[in-house]
Amino acid sequence: MSLFSNLHRETKFLAKQRNLQLLFATIFVLSCFAVWSGISETTSQITTIERLIEKDTIDREGVLAKQSDYGSAAYYSFHLTYSSPSNMAFAAIGQRDIYPWKHRIRMLAIEGQIYETDADNPELSFLGRFDFAFLVSVLLPLFVILLLHDIRSVEREAGRYDLLVTTSKRQQRLWFSRAIVMCSALSIALILPFIAGALYTQASLATTGLMLLVVLGHITIWMTLTLTFTASKAAVKQSSAKIASMLLAVWLAVAVLVPVISNIAIEKMVTSPKGGDILLTQREAVNDAWDLPYSATWDEFLSTHPQWKNGIDMGPTFEWKWYYAFQQVGDQKASKLSNAYREATLKKDKLASHFAWLSPPMLTQRLMSSIAQTDTYAAMRYEQNIRNYHKELREFYYPLFFTENTFNLDKMSELPKFSDHKEKSKG
């Protein structure tokens, strides 16, 4: 009997199995819910960003209209920064649940403002929220095990095994055909809601295709693993329940134990300062500046901004240029810790990517987050975008502090505007 004939026969057989139809319907509903949940979350984030952009502009214009000098304008003005979710983010929320995706910043020292909301990455989100990535990476293996664990044993327990083996010229093709049909039905139940979600969010064909490859690849891994195990000598005479329990033990090891143990190992292997350490260092530097001679601030400031050396003359009273100079110095003193924090975060993420090869669920979730631009690298890019924008604000204000004195409200229309530089997928 040809492979095509086997597939046709197994498809007809599957169509008569009400219990399997109910299972696939349940999986379809779960997939719909996961996609809906992801779209609801990303839509909420987009709506929040749009609302904040509008309010941010109105608030800043109102504040600027009340100021009489550039120092006050810089001090009281807030500037919204944000990281919009990509069109594919609905499928994998990823690190957006851990790292901030919006900040309002001022011309003050930037490191403290970034790490005021640092969440200290709590022991990894091992399972995460119920989105499509969670369904595929964590629950999909259970569906495959449920479908295929008794693919041979159920026939043996029903007394049909010997007859099937005898009448089939190639018995491996028989089991393979049955597994292909079942996993194809599983794939359809999972993927149809995802495709609908991708069309709704106008995700690109490239990212949609990559995500589908990851899903199908994960199904293939667990189908191969389950078929191999059920054909092994250890499973030949085992009951369906024992085979299922052994496969569930494998799932538990790779889906839960490997991520937990790898995270503990990574924390031991990589030492990192905390966001609170950076915040404290920067604030101490800023607070200490009030009690130090002006020259202490100017020496540190001019080491990185020598172009302003002719504009540092001051009278005995407070001047804004000195105030913002020691804000800059606060960032300079915290920069070593901040760089170490970012390097450690990326190093941890790289080590996690190595450990992920021991855990197909962990690898799948990382791949999906990467495609959706919701991984650690995306979070670090957003942090760098904040720093770049803050640098633009400083480059706008410093000439006004050091060379101009008369406040001109029209000049404030030239304030740099934040741009979300993250590449979006296009429909």
Side-chain angles (χ1 to χ4, degrees):
M1 186 177 290
S2 67
L3 179 60
F4 178 79
S5 299
N6 280 336
L7 292 174
H8 180 69
R9 184 197 64 212
E10 293 299 332
T11 301
K12 291 174 64 178
F13 177 73
L14 178 63
K16 299 177 182 179
Q17 303 298 305
R18 295 295 179 86
N19 58 328
L20 292 181
Q21 292 175 14
L22 179 60
L23 174 63
F24 293 133
T26 302
I27 293 170
F28 179 80
V29 171
L30 287 173
S31 184
C32 288
F33 178 76
V35 170
W36 172 83
S37 176
I39 291 177
S40 296
E41 176 62 23
T42 55
T43 300
S44 175
Q45 292 182 10
I46 292 171
T47 302
T48 298
I49 289 172
E50 291 174 347
R51 185 177 69 251
L52 290 177
I53 289 174
E54 181 181 358
K55 292 184 178 296
D56 178 69
T57 301
I58 295 172
D59 176 69
R60 187 167 51 255
E61 289 176 351
V63 167
L64 292 175
K66 300 176 183 177
Q67 307 310 316
S68 58
D69 59 75
Y70 291 115
S72 297
Y75 184 85
Y76 291 107
S77 297
F78 283 87
H79 304 266
L80 177 69
T81 70
Y82 53 89
S83 174
S84 301
S86 70
N87 293 347
M88 187 53 72
F90 77 91
I93 300 299
Q95 299 297 303
R96 292 180 72 86
D97 270 348
I98 298 176
Y99 292 101
W101 45 268
K102 63 184 184 301
H103 283 283
R104 291 186 76 204
I105 65 171
R106 291 191 288 167
M107 259 287 287
L108 307 183
I110 188 60
E111 296 299 335
Q113 297 180 74
I114 288 176
Y115 293 109
E116 277 177 344
T117 54
D118 173 46
D120 201 22
N121 209 342
E123 297 299 316
L124 279 179
S125 290
F126 298 119
L127 299 181
R129 69 165 58 238
F130 190 85
D131 56 8
F132 188 69
F134 177 89
L135 182 65
V136 171
S137 61
V138 178
L139 298 186
L140 181 149
L142 296 177
F143 299 147
V144 176
I145 291 171
L146 181 61
L147 287 171
L148 304 182
H149 75 279
D150 61 352
I151 194 170
R152 295 169 186 263
S153 59
V154 71
E155 301 294 351
R156 189 180 295 110
E157 291 165 0
R160 298 189 297 263
Y161 183 82
D162 292 335
L163 178 62
L164 284 171
V165 171
T166 303
T167 57
S168 178
K169 292 182 179 179
R170 297 181 181 180
Q171 58 172 299
Q172 295 303 326
R173 181 178 289 179
L174 169 67
W175 311 121
F176 181 71
S177 300
R178 185 168 295 184
I180 285 291
V181 169
M182 287 185 174
C183 288
S184 295
L186 170 62
S187 300
I188 292 171
L190 275 173
I191 287 172
L192 282 180
F194 164 74
I195 292 176
L199 291 173
Y200 177 80
T201 61
Q202 299 183 339
S204 71
L205 287 175
T207 55
T208 303
L210 286 173
M211 200 70 81
L212 289 176
L213 284 176
V214 172
V215 175
L216 295 176
H218 200 213
I219 291 176
T220 302
I221 288 172
W222 284 95
M223 184 186 77
T224 304
L225 174 66
T226 306
L227 283 178
T228 302
F229 184 80
T230 56
S232 66
K233 292 181 179 180
V236 168
K237 296 183 179 180
Q238 300 292 340
S239 65
S240 299
K242 285 189 176 181
I243 293 173
S245 64
M246 287 185 281
L247 286 168
L248 287 175
V250 173
W251 170 84
L252 181 65
V254 298
V256 180
L257 295 182
V258 170
V260 171
I261 294 172
S262 65
N263 182 64
I264 295 172
I266 290 170
E267 291 297 325
K268 295 288 185 182
M269 295 164 66
V270 182
T271 57
S272 169
K274 298 184 182 298
D277 298 333
I278 301 169
L279 177 61
L280 182 62
T281 299
Q282 178 257 295
R283 284 187 174 175
E284 286 180 344
V286 168
N287 291 336
D288 290 348
W290 291 99
D291 301 320
L292 297 174
Y294 293 154
S295 59
T297 293
W298 291 125
D299 289 344
E300 292 282 349
F301 178 78
L302 294 176
S303 67
T304 56
H305 295 75
Q307 66 270 34
W308 305 118
K309 62 182 180 181
N310 295 325
I312 64 172
D313 293 336
M314 292 178 57
T317 58
F318 172 85
E319 292 191 26
W320 282 111
K321 60 184 178 182
W322 168 71
Y323 178 80
Y324 290 108
F326 71 66
Q327 295 289 328
Q328 170 78 55
V329 170
D331 277 338
Q332 292 172 192
K333 291 187 175 180
S335 63
K336 186 175 181 180
L337 278 177
S338 180
N339 290 334
Y341 179 88
R342 293 197 299 277
E343 290 172 2
T345 299
L346 293 175
K347 187 175 181 180
K348 288 178 180 180
D349 188 70
K350 187 174 182 179
L351 287 171
S353 70
H354 296 327
F355 279 108
W357 289 102
L358 302 175
S359 168
M362 186 177 172
L363 179 62
T364 298
Q365 197 156 43
R366 288 181 60 84
L367 288 173
M368 295 179 76
S369 295
S370 178
I371 294 169
Q373 300 179 55
T374 57
D375 56 358
T376 298
Y377 283 95
M380 293 296 102
R381 283 196 299 271
Y382 169 51
E383 277 195 11
Q384 190 56 47
N385 285 346
I386 298 174
R387 293 185 178 89
N388 293 341
Y389 177 61
H390 193 264
K391 182 180 179 182
E392 290 179 23
L393 289 176
R394 281 173 164 163
E395 290 174 349
F396 171 80
Y397 276 113
Y398 283 169
L400 303 178
F401 296 155
F402 288 95
T403 61
E404 297 185 27
N405 294 314
T406 304
F407 179 74
N408 183 355
L409 184 59
D410 292 338
K411 182 70 175 177
M412 303 311 293
S413 64
E414 301 175 13
L415 266 170
K417 293 179 172 56
F418 178 79
S419 176
D420 184 6
H421 297 294
K422 184 173 62 177
E423 181 181 354
K424 301 290 192 309
S425 54
K426 301 295 183 183

